[in-house]
Amino acid sequence: MPPSIQSIQSIPIFFIPSLPSRAEVMRVARGTTDVTGQLLDTAGNITRIALNTLDPRDGSGAEALRVLRRTTADLAEASASPQAQEAFYRIVDTLTRLGTAGAPLAAHPVSAPAQALLTALGDTLLPILDAVEPAVQEAAEALAELTDAASPLLPAAAGLTAGILLTLTPLIRAAAEVLRDSTPELTRMAEALTTALAPLLPLQAALSQRAATLTAALIRTTLPPLADATEAAATTATAARPLFLTAENLLLTAAERLQPLLLTTASATGRVARSVAVRVTAAVAPVGEGGLVVASATGAVDE
């Protein structure tokens, strides 16, 4: 028997999607090829870096691997200590708190000025950094040379710092005990100050607004004459630059001529100081059983 119309209508109909066109297939293939090529190039660069770093021709690569192995072993042992575990816990706890509280703060209206400041800095910070980069590099090199030259003083400075901290520790503990015992009085003082200053806050806000308006007007009035004075000073300095150079040369010449006299005076002062030190040492030396013990010191004679 032929099927009824109702049974034919109840048969589900499946739609076969159309196949992608040749252009779409070529686009996907080109994208996959580009990504694969970039990954292969990156892997090749990493391999070259590893080979250049661990080049075994002069034995530096094996030594670098030994140093790296010892360093990682020491780090692994140090990271297992209770102090390191406590530090890791604090870092994780701090990051968790920042992540929990950072999202509401970022969406808060109060963060709008901070966002505007970051936007302004993002637009102007890079040119400023490019401008100050040479000066920063020179300052960093000078600071490194200063640190290297002052390295003999570091142990003495560390000992002095330790002594000062040991001296201040009892005072800090006493202050902490006094503040801990005076908590009720401090609470009363805070409440009294809050009660007294709360009515004055609107007046202070109005005075601050007026002061800000007056200051802005004063700055607007002062800036044009100040700019003129700055330009005039710059022009004068440019015109007087030869005089400054001449004065600098005269000072350098005078210092070079006075250098022998200054060296002779310093040498004579050193000899007198050493002689006085020898006499003072002999005067304060203790008296032993065999007689007077005299301490002497021989200083280098400057020719």
Side-chain angles (χ1 to χ4, degrees), residues 32-279:
T32 305
T33 305
D34 292 339
V35 172
T36 305
Q38 292 178 7
L39 291 177
L40 291 176
D41 291 340
T42 304
N45 294 333
I46 295 174
T47 304
R48 290 176 57 191
I49 292 172
L51 292 177
N52 293 332
T53 305
L54 304 176
D55 190 357
R57 285 178 295 179
D58 55 354
S60 60
E63 181 63 24
L65 285 178
R66 282 195 293 271
V67 172
L68 183 61
R69 181 178 59 83
R70 288 196 298 268
T71 304
T72 52
D74 294 339
L75 289 176
E77 184 178 356
S79 62
S81 63
Q83 294 83 1
Q85 293 297 321
E86 180 67 21
F88 293 155
Y89 172 76
R90 291 179 180 177
I91 292 173
V92 173
D93 183 61
T94 302
L95 292 177
T96 303
R97 293 185 180 181
L98 288 175
T100 304
L105 289 177
H108 199 276
V110 178
S111 64
Q115 295 175 0
L117 177 61
L118 291 176
T119 303
L121 288 178
D123 295 337
T124 59
L125 191 59
L126 288 179
I128 295 174
L129 291 179
D130 293 337
V132 303
E133 181 180 0
V136 171
Q137 289 180 351
E138 294 183 1
E141 293 176 358
L143 183 60
E145 294 177 358
L146 177 62
T147 303
D148 189 14
S151 58
L153 299 176
L154 294 180
L160 180 62
T161 304
I164 294 174
L165 291 178
L166 290 176
T167 304
L168 294 179
T169 298
L171 298 177
I172 296 174
R173 289 179 178 174
E177 292 179 358
V178 170
L179 291 177
R180 189 183 301 110
D181 296 337
S182 303
T183 300
E185 288 77 9
L186 294 176
T187 303
R188 290 170 54 194
M189 292 172 59
E191 293 178 352
L193 289 175
T194 303
T195 304
L197 295 178
L200 299 178
L201 290 180
L203 179 61
Q204 295 296 327
L207 292 177
S208 176
Q209 182 65 31
R210 294 180 59 186
T213 304
L214 292 176
T215 304
L218 181 62
I219 291 175
R220 292 192 185 97
T221 306
T222 308
L223 280 180
L226 184 61
D228 296 337
T230 304
E231 291 180 353
T235 304
T236 304
T238 303
R241 185 176 180 181
L243 296 178
F244 292 155
L245 294 177
T246 304
E248 183 179 356
N249 292 329
L250 291 176
L251 289 177
L252 291 176
T253 304
E256 291 177 353
R257 293 180 178 179
L258 291 176
Q259 183 178 3
L261 178 60
L262 295 176
L263 292 177
T264 304
T265 305
S267 178
T269 305
R271 287 196 296 269
V272 172
R274 285 194 293 269
S275 178
V276 172
V278 169
R279 293 181 180 181

